[in-house]
Amino acid sequence: MSQWVDVAAEGDIFEGAAIGVAVGGHDIAVYKTEAGEVFATHNICSHADARLCDGFLEGHEIECPYHQGRFDIRNGAATLEPCVEAIRSYPVKVDGGRVWVEID
């Protein structure tokens, strides 16, 4: 069963950056693009176990801090090698200045 979980204040996430949150046994990266859009994915790179919240966010792609592979933060797709396996993405909503992520 899935549920919406309050993970952060929207103001705690700077535009063009990410934060890491631990929720219900899930390690999640929450991103805010330069355009102010908010997305969430699994926080661990599928290639080398790096924390993606420590990577570089450019547009809709997060670059892994270890080997510069990339993922699309909108859907978790691997977009640049050496990352070839997608990561999980999570539905996100912003309500009342809070960021909510749907987890199961």
Side-chain angles (χ1 to χ4, degrees):
M1 175 186 278
S2 64
Q3 64 180 350
W4 288 96
V5 179
D6 182 348
V7 297
E10 184 180 12
D12 289 344
I13 310 166
F14 297 109
E15 291 180 357
I19 62 169
V21 296
V23 178
H26 298 268
D27 191 357
I28 299 173
V30 182
Y31 313 90
K32 185 186 285 185
T33 67
E34 291 287 338
E37 301 168 291
V38 180
F39 298 94
T41 69
H42 186 62
N43 195 24
I44 305 300
C45 176
S46 60
H47 170 254
D49 293 328
R51 290 176 44 92
L52 294 173
C53 65
D54 296 332
F56 177 71
L57 182 62
E58 183 172 357
H60 291 111
E61 289 186 315
I62 186 68
E63 182 177 276
C64 174
Y66 282 5
H67 298 111
Q68 291 72 50
R70 293 185 181 189
F71 299 93
D72 187 322
I73 62 172
R74 297 171 292 187
N75 58 25
T79 60
L80 184 65
E81 291 185 1
C83 299
V84 295
E85 183 180 330
I87 56 173
R88 181 175 177 182
S89 64
Y90 295 88
V92 173
K93 65 182 178 181
V94 178
D95 185 30
R98 303 294 302 176
V99 177
W100 296 77
V101 174
E102 186 178 26
I103 62 170
D104 52 28

